């Protein structure tokens, strides 16, 4: 199960009660910053905006491709390690607004992680160091260190050990 904290709501669905859970002005500010970062081709500027304006924790040499969409309401709950690549149009969520509750959870992406294009990462997920997430994956649970995962629903394609064996075989050819 993902690591999220649940907050029950009554009467209308939780999204109708959004501004009881988060400041309207925080959402407006985050929206503007995220839109600027999504379109800028300058990686240091993106990382500066994410760190300085959104309080995201971003490691050195991490690259966010064009159109990446970090969580607009709780970006401060996102941590991305060093030397990672977050692929084009990837969405990283730290919240879920449902009918009878909303959930908030930290997202942690380790060092040297490759996330393919058009991936969605749900709240409360941890992706281990050296993992590879194939394009178009719905990351709905933790990814072990060094694993190669993909699909919807996500599944492990190769473990770290299997990847090491395959790499050694490829090198010996």
């Amino acid at each position: 199960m993902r690591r999220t904290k649940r907050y029950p709501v009554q009467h209308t669905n939780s999204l109708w009660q959004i501004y009881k859970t988060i400041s309207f002005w925080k959402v407006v500010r985050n929206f503007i910053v995220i839109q600027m970062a999504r379109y800028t081709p300058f990686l240091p500027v993106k990382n500066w905006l994410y760190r300085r304006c959104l309080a995201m924790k971003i490691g050195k040499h991490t690259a966010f491709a064009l159109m990446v969409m970090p969580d607009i309401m709780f970006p401060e709950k996102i941590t991305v390690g060093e030397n990672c690549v977050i692929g084009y149009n990837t969405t990283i969520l730290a919240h879920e607004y449902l009918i009878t509750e909303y959930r908030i959870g930290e997202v942690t992406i380790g060092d040297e992680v490759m996330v393919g294009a058009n991936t969605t990462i749900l709240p409360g997920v941890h992706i281990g160091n050296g993992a590879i997430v194939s394009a178009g994956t719905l990351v709905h649970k933790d990814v072990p260190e060094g694993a190669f995962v993909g699909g919807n629903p996500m599944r492990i394609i190769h473990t770290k050990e299997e990847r090491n064996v395959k790499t050694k075989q490829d090198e010996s050819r």
Side-chain angles (χ1 to χ4, degrees):
M1 188 67 182
R2 291 180 284 128
R3 297 167 199 80
T4 57
K5 183 155 184 182
R6 298 172 152 200
Y7 300 90
V9 297
Q10 295 178 344
H11 311 297
T12 59
N13 71 64
S14 62
L15 197 51
W16 271 103
Q17 301 177 44
I18 188 172
Y19 298 117
K20 292 179 185 174
T21 64
I22 186 166
S23 160
F24 170 80
W25 296 111
K26 179 183 177 186
V27 174
V28 168
R29 183 201 62 195
N30 290 354
F31 175 82
I32 292 167
V33 170
I34 289 169
Q35 290 307 312
M36 288 189 319
R38 288 184 82 192
Y39 289 96
T40 187
F42 305 109
L43 299 178
V45 172
K46 280 184 198 236
N47 288 353
W48 182 85
L49 287 167
Y50 290 150
R51 287 181 190 119
R52 184 83 170 137
C53 301
L54 300 179
M56 291 171 59
K57 295 162 243 17
I58 310 293
K60 287 183 180 181
H61 307 295
T62 284
F64 287 85
L66 194 67
M67 302 304 288
V68 169
M69 184 69 184
D71 192 280
I72 195 167
M73 294 174 197
F74 302 98
E76 68 278 5
K77 297 202 173 288
I78 298 171
T79 301
V80 182
E82 294 188 4
N83 203 32
C84 295
V85 174
I86 309 299
Y88 176 85
N89 205 36
T90 289
T91 300
I92 306 171
L93 295 172
H95 78 277
E96 300 176 297
Y97 283 83
L98 308 170
I99 301 294
T100 60
E101 69 182 10
Y102 66 97
R103 301 175 191 162
I104 300 171
E106 303 266 341
V107 174
T108 305
I109 299 172
D111 296 332
E112 299 196 2
V113 171
M114 170 65 205
V115 177
N118 294 307
T119 292
T120 300
I121 301 170
L122 295 181
V125 167
H126 292 193
I127 299 176
N129 294 336
I132 298 172
V133 179
S134 82
T137 299
L138 174 64
V139 182
H140 67 289
K141 60 185 177 181
D142 289 352
V143 176
E145 182 174 312
F148 174 42
V149 300
N152 183 3
M154 183 194 84
R155 64 179 185 84
I156 295 176
I157 297 169
H158 296 294
T159 64
K160 179 180 180 178
E161 294 75 25
E162 291 168 341
R163 281 183 57 212
N164 289 340
V165 168
K166 187 171 177 8
T167 302
K168 286 179 185 175
Q169 288 173 346
D170 291 344
E171 289 173 355
S172 67
R173 290 183 192 173

Short mmCIF file of all heavy atoms in Angstrom, two decimals, residues 54-91:
data_model
loop_
_atom_site.label_atom_id
_atom_site.label_comp_id
_atom_site.label_asym_id
_atom_site.label_seq_id
_atom_site.Cartn_x
_atom_site.Cartn_y
_atom_site.Cartn_z
N LEU A 54 8.89 26.34 -5.14
CA LEU A 54 7.95 25.29 -4.78
C LEU A 54 8.41 24.43 -3.61
O LEU A 54 7.69 23.55 -3.16
CB LEU A 54 7.69 24.38 -5.99
CG LEU A 54 7.10 25.05 -7.22
CD1 LEU A 54 6.92 24.02 -8.33
CD2 LEU A 54 5.79 25.74 -6.90
N ALA A 55 9.64 24.65 -3.14
CA ALA A 55 10.22 23.91 -2.01
C ALA A 55 10.36 22.41 -2.29
O ALA A 55 10.35 21.60 -1.36
CB ALA A 55 9.43 24.15 -0.72
N MET A 56 10.48 22.05 -3.57
CA MET A 56 10.78 20.66 -3.91
C MET A 56 12.24 20.39 -3.59
O MET A 56 13.08 21.29 -3.65
CB MET A 56 10.50 20.39 -5.40
CG MET A 56 9.04 20.44 -5.77
SD MET A 56 8.72 20.38 -7.56
CE MET A 56 9.47 18.83 -8.03
N LYS A 57 12.55 19.14 -3.27
CA LYS A 57 13.92 18.76 -3.00
C LYS A 57 14.46 18.08 -4.26
O LYS A 57 14.01 16.98 -4.60
CB LYS A 57 14.00 17.86 -1.77
CG LYS A 57 13.58 18.60 -0.49
CD LYS A 57 13.22 17.65 0.62
CE LYS A 57 11.83 17.65 1.15
NZ LYS A 57 10.69 18.19 0.57
N ILE A 58 15.39 18.73 -4.94
CA ILE A 58 15.90 18.27 -6.23
C ILE A 58 17.41 18.13 -6.13
O ILE A 58 18.10 19.09 -5.78
CB ILE A 58 15.57 19.27 -7.36
CG1 ILE A 58 14.09 19.66 -7.37
CG2 ILE A 58 16.04 18.72 -8.72
CD1 ILE A 58 13.15 18.57 -7.72
N GLY A 59 17.94 16.94 -6.46
CA GLY A 59 19.38 16.71 -6.42
C GLY A 59 20.12 17.33 -7.59
O GLY A 59 19.52 17.73 -8.59
N LYS A 60 21.44 17.39 -7.46
CA LYS A 60 22.30 17.96 -8.51
C LYS A 60 22.16 17.14 -9.80
O LYS A 60 22.01 15.92 -9.76
CB LYS A 60 23.76 17.93 -8.08
CG LYS A 60 24.11 18.94 -7.03
CD LYS A 60 25.59 18.87 -6.72
CE LYS A 60 25.94 19.89 -5.67
NZ LYS A 60 27.38 19.87 -5.38
N HIS A 61 22.25 17.83 -10.90
CA HIS A 61 22.27 17.24 -12.25
C HIS A 61 21.01 16.47 -12.60
O HIS A 61 21.02 15.66 -13.52
CB HIS A 61 23.52 16.37 -12.44
CG HIS A 61 24.79 17.07 -12.12
ND1 HIS A 61 25.25 18.15 -12.85
CD2 HIS A 61 25.67 16.90 -11.11
CE1 HIS A 61 26.38 18.58 -12.31
NE2 HIS A 61 26.65 17.85 -11.26
N THR A 62 19.92 16.71 -11.90
CA THR A 62 18.65 16.09 -12.27
C THR A 62 18.03 16.92 -13.38
O THR A 62 18.08 18.14 -13.35
CB THR A 62 17.73 15.98 -11.04
OG1 THR A 62 18.21 14.90 -10.24
CG2 THR A 62 16.29 15.71 -11.42
N ALA A 63 17.47 16.21 -14.36
CA ALA A 63 16.91 16.87 -15.54
C ALA A 63 15.42 16.56 -15.65
O ALA A 63 15.02 15.40 -15.72
CB ALA A 63 17.62 16.40 -16.80
N PHE A 64 14.61 17.63 -15.65
CA PHE A 64 13.18 17.52 -15.90
C PHE A 64 12.95 17.90 -17.36
O PHE A 64 13.24 19.03 -17.76
CB PHE A 64 12.39 18.48 -15.00
CG PHE A 64 12.35 18.05 -13.56
CD1 PHE A 64 13.38 18.38 -12.70
CD2 PHE A 64 11.26 17.33 -13.08
CE1 PHE A 64 13.33 17.99 -11.37
CE2 PHE A 64 11.21 16.94 -11.75
CZ PHE A 64 12.25 17.27 -10.89
N ALA A 65 12.41 16.97 -18.14
CA ALA A 65 12.16 17.24 -19.55
C ALA A 65 11.02 18.25 -19.70
O ALA A 65 10.33 18.60 -18.73
CB ALA A 65 11.81 15.94 -20.27
N LEU A 66 10.81 18.68 -20.92
CA LEU A 66 9.73 19.59 -21.25
C LEU A 66 8.39 19.00 -20.81
O LEU A 66 8.17 17.80 -20.92
CB LEU A 66 9.73 19.82 -22.76
CG LEU A 66 8.89 20.98 -23.28
CD1 LEU A 66 9.48 22.30 -22.83
CD2 LEU A 66 8.85 20.92 -24.80
N MET A 67 7.52 19.83 -20.27
CA MET A 67 6.13 19.51 -19.94
C MET A 67 5.94 18.62 -18.70
O MET A 67 4.83 18.15 -18.46
CB MET A 67 5.41 18.89 -21.14
CG MET A 67 5.40 19.77 -22.36
SD MET A 67 4.69 21.41 -22.08
CE MET A 67 2.98 20.96 -21.91
N VAL A 68 6.98 18.38 -17.92
CA VAL A 68 6.79 17.62 -16.67
C VAL A 68 5.85 18.40 -15.77
O VAL A 68 5.94 19.63 -15.66
CB VAL A 68 8.14 17.34 -15.98
CG1 VAL A 68 7.95 16.80 -14.57
CG2 VAL A 68 8.97 16.39 -16.82
N MET A 69 4.92 17.70 -15.10
CA MET A 69 3.91 18.34 -14.25
C MET A 69 4.04 17.84 -12.81
O MET A 69 3.50 16.79 -12.46
CB MET A 69 2.52 18.01 -14.81
CG MET A 69 1.40 18.68 -14.08
SD MET A 69 1.44 20.45 -14.41
CE MET A 69 0.13 20.99 -13.36
N PRO A 70 4.77 18.58 -11.97
CA PRO A 70 4.79 18.21 -10.54
C PRO A 70 3.47 18.60 -9.88
O PRO A 70 2.71 19.42 -10.42
CB PRO A 70 5.95 19.01 -9.96
CG PRO A 70 6.21 20.10 -10.93
CD PRO A 70 5.64 19.69 -12.26
N ASP A 71 3.21 18.04 -8.74
CA ASP A 71 1.96 18.29 -8.01
C ASP A 71 1.77 19.79 -7.79
O ASP A 71 2.64 20.47 -7.27
CB ASP A 71 2.00 17.56 -6.68
CG ASP A 71 0.65 17.53 -6.02
OD1 ASP A 71 0.26 18.54 -5.41
OD2 ASP A 71 -0.04 16.50 -6.12
N ILE A 72 0.60 20.29 -8.16
CA ILE A 72 0.33 21.72 -8.07
C ILE A 72 -0.04 22.16 -6.66
O ILE A 72 0.14 23.31 -6.29
CB ILE A 72 -0.78 22.12 -9.08
CG1 ILE A 72 -0.82 23.63 -9.27
CG2 ILE A 72 -2.12 21.58 -8.65
CD1 ILE A 72 -1.64 24.06 -10.45
N MET A 73 -0.55 21.23 -5.85
CA MET A 73 -1.01 21.60 -4.52
C MET A 73 0.02 21.35 -3.43
O MET A 73 0.12 22.12 -2.48
CB MET A 73 -2.30 20.87 -4.21
CG MET A 73 -3.40 21.33 -5.12
SD MET A 73 -4.86 20.35 -4.89
CE MET A 73 -5.71 20.76 -6.39
N PHE A 74 0.79 20.28 -3.56
CA PHE A 74 1.75 19.92 -2.52
C PHE A 74 3.11 19.56 -3.13
O PHE A 74 3.66 18.49 -2.87
CB PHE A 74 1.21 18.74 -1.69
CG PHE A 74 -0.10 19.03 -1.04
CD1 PHE A 74 -1.29 18.60 -1.62
CD2 PHE A 74 -0.16 19.76 0.14
CE1 PHE A 74 -2.52 18.87 -1.02
CE2 PHE A 74 -1.39 20.04 0.74
CZ PHE A 74 -2.57 19.59 0.15
N PRO A 75 3.71 20.46 -3.93
CA PRO A 75 5.00 20.12 -4.55
C PRO A 75 6.12 19.92 -3.53
O PRO A 75 7.08 19.20 -3.81
CB PRO A 75 5.28 21.34 -5.45
CG PRO A 75 4.51 22.45 -4.84
CD PRO A 75 3.27 21.81 -4.25
N GLU A 76 5.98 20.51 -2.36
CA GLU A 76 7.00 20.37 -1.32
C GLU A 76 7.10 18.94 -0.81
O GLU A 76 8.05 18.60 -0.10
CB GLU A 76 6.72 21.34 -0.16
CG GLU A 76 5.49 21.05 0.66
CD GLU A 76 4.16 21.56 0.07
OE1 GLU A 76 4.15 22.09 -1.06
OE2 GLU A 76 3.13 21.41 0.76
N LYS A 77 6.19 18.09 -1.16
CA LYS A 77 6.21 16.69 -0.75
C LYS A 77 6.91 15.80 -1.78
O LYS A 77 6.87 14.58 -1.68
CB LYS A 77 4.80 16.19 -0.49
CG LYS A 77 4.14 16.95 0.66
CD LYS A 77 3.01 16.18 1.27
CE LYS A 77 2.48 16.86 2.51
NZ LYS A 77 3.37 16.79 3.65
N ILE A 78 7.57 16.42 -2.77
CA ILE A 78 8.28 15.67 -3.81
C ILE A 78 9.78 15.82 -3.60
O ILE A 78 10.29 16.94 -3.47
CB ILE A 78 7.89 16.18 -5.21
CG1 ILE A 78 6.39 15.97 -5.46
CG2 ILE A 78 8.73 15.49 -6.29
CD1 ILE A 78 5.86 16.63 -6.72
N THR A 79 10.48 14.68 -3.59
CA THR A 79 11.93 14.64 -3.49
C THR A 79 12.46 13.84 -4.67
O THR A 79 12.00 12.72 -4.91
CB THR A 79 12.38 13.96 -2.18
OG1 THR A 79 11.85 14.70 -1.07
CG2 THR A 79 13.89 13.90 -2.07
N VAL A 80 13.41 14.41 -5.39
CA VAL A 80 14.05 13.72 -6.52
C VAL A 80 15.54 13.77 -6.28
O VAL A 80 16.12 14.83 -6.04
CB VAL A 80 13.69 14.39 -7.87
CG1 VAL A 80 14.31 13.61 -9.03
CG2 VAL A 80 12.18 14.49 -8.04
N GLY A 81 16.19 12.61 -6.36
CA GLY A 81 17.62 12.50 -6.08
C GLY A 81 18.51 13.11 -7.14
O GLY A 81 18.05 13.84 -8.02
N GLU A 82 19.78 12.77 -7.08
CA GLU A 82 20.78 13.32 -7.99
C GLU A 82 20.85 12.54 -9.29
O GLU A 82 20.61 11.33 -9.32
CB GLU A 82 22.16 13.30 -7.32
CG GLU A 82 22.22 14.23 -6.12
CD GLU A 82 23.62 14.38 -5.55
OE1 GLU A 82 24.57 13.82 -6.12
OE2 GLU A 82 23.74 15.08 -4.54
N ASN A 83 21.19 13.27 -10.36
CA ASN A 83 21.47 12.69 -11.67
C ASN A 83 20.31 11.86 -12.23
O ASN A 83 20.52 10.80 -12.81
CB ASN A 83 22.76 11.86 -11.62
CG ASN A 83 23.39 11.71 -12.98
OD1 ASN A 83 23.31 12.59 -13.82
ND2 ASN A 83 24.03 10.57 -13.19
N CYS A 84 19.10 12.34 -12.05
CA CYS A 84 17.90 11.66 -12.56
C CYS A 84 17.43 12.31 -13.84
O CYS A 84 17.73 13.47 -14.11
CB CYS A 84 16.76 11.76 -11.54
SG CYS A 84 17.08 10.89 -10.01
N VAL A 85 16.68 11.55 -14.63
CA VAL A 85 15.99 12.09 -15.79
C VAL A 85 14.50 11.80 -15.61
O VAL A 85 14.09 10.65 -15.43
CB VAL A 85 16.49 11.44 -17.10
CG1 VAL A 85 15.64 11.90 -18.29
CG2 VAL A 85 17.95 11.75 -17.34
N ILE A 86 13.70 12.86 -15.62
CA ILE A 86 12.25 12.75 -15.53
C ILE A 86 11.72 13.09 -16.92
O ILE A 86 11.85 14.22 -17.39
CB ILE A 86 11.66 13.70 -14.46
CG1 ILE A 86 12.39 13.56 -13.12
CG2 ILE A 86 10.16 13.48 -14.33
CD1 ILE A 86 12.32 12.18 -12.49
N GLY A 87 11.15 12.10 -17.60
CA GLY A 87 10.80 12.20 -19.01
C GLY A 87 9.65 13.13 -19.33
O GLY A 87 8.84 13.49 -18.47
N TYR A 88 9.57 13.46 -20.60
CA TYR A 88 8.57 14.37 -21.16
C TYR A 88 7.16 14.05 -20.68
O TYR A 88 6.74 12.90 -20.66
CB TYR A 88 8.63 14.25 -22.70
CG TYR A 88 7.59 15.06 -23.42
CD1 TYR A 88 7.81 16.39 -23.71
CD2 TYR A 88 6.38 14.49 -23.79
CE1 TYR A 88 6.86 17.15 -24.37
CE2 TYR A 88 5.42 15.23 -24.46
CZ TYR A 88 5.66 16.56 -24.74
OH TYR A 88 4.71 17.29 -25.39
N ASN A 89 6.46 15.09 -20.25
CA ASN A 89 5.04 15.02 -19.90
C ASN A 89 4.73 14.07 -18.74
O ASN A 89 3.61 13.58 -18.61
CB ASN A 89 4.22 14.63 -21.14
CG ASN A 89 2.79 15.11 -21.05
OD1 ASN A 89 2.52 16.19 -20.53
ND2 ASN A 89 1.88 14.31 -21.55
N THR A 90 5.70 13.81 -17.90
CA THR A 90 5.48 12.98 -16.71
C THR A 90 4.72 13.80 -15.67
O THR A 90 4.94 15.00 -15.52
CB THR A 90 6.81 12.48 -16.15
OG1 THR A 90 7.34 11.51 -17.06
CG2 THR A 90 6.68 11.87 -14.77
N THR A 91 3.81 13.15 -14.94
CA THR A 91 3.06 13.78 -13.86
C THR A 91 3.48 13.13 -12.54
O THR A 91 3.50 11.91 -12.43
CB THR A 91 1.54 13.60 -14.07
OG1 THR A 91 1.19 14.20 -15.31
CG2 THR A 91 0.76 14.24 -12.94
#
